Amino acid sequence: VGQTIKGSAISSVQRDVPVIISLTSYPARMNSIMYTLRSLMTQTVKPDKIILWLTEGQYPRREADVPLEILNLRKYGLTIGWYDRPIRSYTKLIPALQQYPDAIIVTADDDIQYRKDWLEGLYKAYLNEPQMVHCYFSHKISMTDDGCTPYNEWLDVKTESTSYDNLLLGVGGVLYPPHICYTDVCHEDLFMECAPSEDDLWFWAMVVMNNSKIHVIHNENSATI
């Protein structure tokens, strides 16, 4: 289905601290990502920028390899960004952190339709508590004296919660205030060695190592249609 975009998807009033929606995708998803992009471009609170990051090696001719219907979204405010190294799902956040270190970065996944008030909920939470990360979906990390219990034993966080133990889950969207992550967050050699397919865990660790907490917004179904 997807929403109909009417006018610019970008805020007409520039904020002191820009709000940037950042996501990535790959060729096999190009036919379905339109639904995600339309949902991000029809929000009740508009961002200052929406960037779809693509990896250069997957699109040898760059824009010529991107479907026209996606290119056409640029007239409503979509920006297509290019990253020169294959860092998988990390691409949804790393290049945005590098290029816009003083902005609020809100990540989204490329296979979800987000509710119209998705960004509004995240941004209101940020305005109330600007010194922590905000998300809709989370698992509670379970610890024993011997360390972490197995991942599949971690329970969903189903009520509002603020804790170091809340594992942020990218699927529902995550808001990262400026400079909220530890300085190693963009160290590609480290995260591709330690957690090549577990970007949520890496980003959680970088937030906690910077002595910041993760706030789970009340209502676990607020993120998606």
Side-chain angles (χ1 to χ4, degrees), residues 16-224:
D16 291 336
V17 182
V19 177
I20 298 174
I21 295 177
S22 181
L23 72 162
T24 189
S25 194
Y26 56 96
R29 286 263 174 88
M30 286 292 99
N31 290 328
S32 60
I33 195 177
M34 280 294 298
Y35 301 109
T36 297
L37 292 173
R38 285 175 184 161
S39 74
L40 296 175
M41 300 182 80
T42 51
Q43 292 290 307
T44 54
V45 167
K46 295 181 179 182
D48 296 273
K49 190 178 285 285
I50 302 173
I51 308 176
L52 171 62
W53 298 98
L54 302 176
T55 303
E56 291 180 0
Q58 295 177 334
Y59 302 83
R61 300 182 300 157
R62 297 184 71 143
E63 279 84 356
D65 288 329
V66 178
L68 184 59
E69 62 177 352
I70 293 176
L71 296 178
N72 285 340
L73 293 180
R74 292 180 297 185
K75 66 185 177 185
Y76 299 109
L78 178 67
T79 296
I80 297 177
W82 295 97
Y83 200 63
D84 60 355
R85 293 179 295 283
I87 55 171
R88 306 182 188 179
S89 56
Y90 285 94
T91 313
K92 69 185 174 188
L93 180 56
I94 295 299
L97 288 177
Q98 292 173 338
Q99 292 194 27
Y100 304 97
D102 298 322
I104 297 163
I105 309 297
V106 186
T107 61
D109 275 9
D110 66 344
D111 55 352
I112 300 291
Q113 290 187 62
Y114 293 94
R115 290 169 56 119
K116 287 181 178 294
D117 59 353
W118 168 80
L119 183 60
E120 180 178 352
L122 289 167
Y123 190 55
K124 283 182 176 179
Y126 161 80
L127 293 176
N128 188 49
E129 292 285 356
Q131 301 303 320
M132 59 183 66
V133 166
H134 302 276
C135 62
Y136 285 110
F137 293 171
S138 171
H139 293 326
K140 178 67 71 174
I141 297 174
S142 177
M143 303 285 290
T144 67
D145 292 339
D146 298 323
C148 290
T149 61
Y151 179 86
N152 58 11
E153 295 180 8
W154 299 352
L155 300 178
D156 293 342
V157 179
K158 295 192 175 183
T159 58
E160 184 169 7
S161 171
T162 300
S163 174
Y164 293 114
D165 297 335
N166 291 334
L167 174 66
L168 50 87
L169 298 179
V171 62
V174 182
L175 183 150
Y176 297 88
H179 311 290
I180 199 73
C181 294
Y182 188 67
T183 54
D184 281 342
V185 63
C186 294
H187 197 314
E188 293 180 14
D189 290 343
L190 273 180
F191 64 68
M192 292 304 290
E193 178 183 352
C194 297
S197 302
E198 301 295 341
D199 56 293
D200 288 346
L201 279 170
W202 175 261
F203 294 136
W204 167 82
M206 294 295 102
V207 170
V208 171
M209 286 179 67
N210 205 39
N211 198 32
S212 300
K213 294 181 179 180
I214 296 91
H215 170 233
V216 183
I217 299 171
H218 181 62
N219 187 351
E220 62 179 292
N221 297 316
S222 290
T224 59

Side-chain angles (χ1 to χ4, degrees), residues 5-17:
I5 303 170
K6 298 178 181 179
S8 176
I10 303 305
S11 175
S12 59
V13 179
Q14 187 174 3
R15 300 176 176 92
D16 291 336
V17 182

